Amino acid sequence: MEMRDVKLSGLKSAGEVIEERRQADAGFLDEWDRTAFAREVAVTVVRYRAEQGISQRRLADLTGLQQPAIARLERGSEAPGLATLARLTRATGLTFRLEIANGSAGLVPA
């Protein structure tokens, strides 16, 4: 099948895929919730790089982090520490507003 033969209308939404995984795997939702903050940071970092048109290596140079550390941030599987977030804000002008409540951490709109 060629790519042009794929119909987008047949694709599931992210919400549908997540719901299917949740129903099939009891531990999935716990892991999804555990990594929510890390994913939010990842989306912010990837969006910043895309908007600026810079590579992971260039962002690493700007922040003083190693390129593999930027790749791990963008993977969103582990929450970054406050020192890492501080380095990102100093080098990029990004703002991270955190809310820690009810056993979870997340970004709140700036």
Side-chain angles (χ1 to χ4, degrees):
M1 175 189 313
E2 293 182 33
M3 283 301 292
R4 67 176 185 226
D5 295 333
V6 175
K7 295 196 183 332
L8 294 179
S9 62
L11 296 177
K12 297 176 185 176
S13 71
E16 290 170 327
V17 172
I18 292 165
E19 181 59 24
E20 285 178 4
R21 287 285 310 271
R22 187 188 68 73
Q23 290 178 8
D25 180 358
F28 173 78
L29 193 55
D30 289 338
E31 181 68 8
W32 184 258
D33 289 344
R34 184 188 73 75
T35 59
F37 173 68
R39 285 192 319 276
E40 290 178 63
V41 171
V43 167
T44 302
V45 172
V46 170
R47 183 177 296 130
Y48 174 83
R49 277 199 324 101
E51 289 171 354
Q52 299 300 311
I54 62 174
S55 66
Q56 287 182 344
R57 167 93 41 222
R58 178 68 181 130
L59 184 57
D61 291 343
L62 291 171
T63 60
L65 297 168
Q66 298 294 316
Q67 182 275 326
I70 300 298
R72 284 191 299 274
L73 274 173
E74 291 186 356
R75 198 169 20 256
S77 57
E78 294 296 325
L82 295 177
T84 298
L85 293 176
R87 288 173 97 166
L88 282 168
T89 63
R90 185 173 39 252
T92 64
L94 289 171
T95 299
F96 296 100
R97 294 198 191 322
L98 309 177
E99 178 177 78
I100 302 171
N102 299 316
S104 66
L107 296 180
V108 293

